[in-house]
Amino acid sequence: MAKLSSGPTFPISISRHSYHHRVTACHVSTPTTTTTIPFADLHPSLEVIGGARNRFLPALHSTLRHSYDPFPFIAWNPHVETIFASFFRSIPDVRLRRECLRTQDGGAVALDWVAGDQYQLPPDSPILILMPGLTGGSENSYPRHMLTKARSKGWRVVVFNSRGCGNSPVTTPQFYSASFVGDMREVVEHVSGIYPEANLYAAAWSLGANILVRYLGDESHACPLSGAVSLCNPFNLVYAFEEFTKGFNRVYDKALARSIRNIFKRHILLFEDIEGEYNIPLALNARQVRDFDEGLTRVSFGFKSLDEYYYKASCFHSIKHVQVPLLCIQAANDPISPARAIPREEIEANRNCLLIVTPKGGHLGWVAGAEAPLGGPWTDPVVMDFLEHLERGTHKTVESSNGPLTATSKNLHHAEV
């Protein structure tokens, strides 16, 4: 990684691929004299911590100085809020254009872009990559609302549908997993190759957030993203799956297992006569997510046991390696991503990370704010305030640097459908 500096006021860390000599990201560090928000100005209903607290709070002040007010009746119980958001939140009508990206191992993922944006937006428009949670895709309400919010501010948005999700094709006997960042890496490289003049950002939910944070940690200083947002992240999969066995959470476990099973059944012929420790009947008849992971996932990705898979795939290990601005938003009463799994110490120790914990919100709920109860979640404006703050910072930095920053496109195997 090459490091450039425009002076003591704005240190810049710019990562390059040596074989292309192209700028892939511009990580901006605001000066230590940044105006800070007094603790008293933050509403006590919100927990706000992190090594990047003083750097990024000014951009979020308009929201975080107000109380978090959940919508009456719906948010009294985390399960009610979670289920309401899943079944009754509106789904914005957006015309999408699908691109199928062929990965280097012969697999495929589906990228859903807003149709027409390739003609309407400037090539240097900031790009937001969205990654939904387990079995989620571009048809779900939460990425749709985030998409429309970002698009209304002039951002180019693409939804990354993992293998088998959002009706994306499955072309090899391998799905995705909490530990696998290869597809994320190829998606980021592909998107940056199409729009080399644009800054790239990513936002992800639930299991997708776990994958995103693992990716940020793996890439570390070489990460081509200019910023990222993690929402409803389980962080520690051991804790998350312990919660799955308790009380009403079994309902979510069975529902997710059913969704995974249905995806698997549509592609079962790919797994005929597969060799190794696979237990295909167990995966095919999974009643819990653990059954599917034991029968297929942990074997596909080389783990000796389920416990080893859940522990090593957990992204809390990666927080200390994150070198780009990262906003994490969690709900204290999330029934699926428990508050006890939040790696507070690691987030506090990393000067690039900021954590916001709301008192309520359920899982993928956050039925609060101006658009509640049927509109977008409380988190969407916060996410966009954070990302637009980063984008303004990168533009100022590039304008003040000496000489143009150029980029070249990459060679990647892909096919449009």
Side-chain angles (χ1 to χ4, degrees), residues 9 37 45 108 147 179 203 206 222 256 261 267 293:
T9 305
I37 300 176
S45 64
L147 181 153
S179 66
S206 197
L256 286 169
R261 244 183 9 244
H267 306 284
D293 287 341

Side-chain angles (χ1 to χ4, degrees), residues 248-263:
F248 192 84
N249 282 2
R250 296 188 185 96
V251 174
Y252 306 130
D253 193 7
K254 290 180 179 178
L256 286 169
R258 182 171 59 250
S259 296
I260 298 171
R261 244 183 9 244
N262 290 339
I263 294 173

Side-chain angles (χ1 to χ4, degrees), residues 111-114 127-130 147 156-160 191:
L111 304 179
D112 288 339
W113 306 80
V114 178
I127 299 173
L128 179 57
I129 301 171
L130 302 179
L147 181 153
R156 193 185 312 276
V157 188
V158 57
V159 181
F160 164 25
V191 172

Side-chain angles (χ1 to χ4, degrees), residues 37 40-44 46 60-68:
I37 300 176
D41 265 9
L42 293 174
H43 199 275
L46 298 167
L60 308 176
H61 181 240
S62 60
T63 299
L64 302 187
R65 65 189 176 91
H66 298 294
S67 65
Y68 179 86

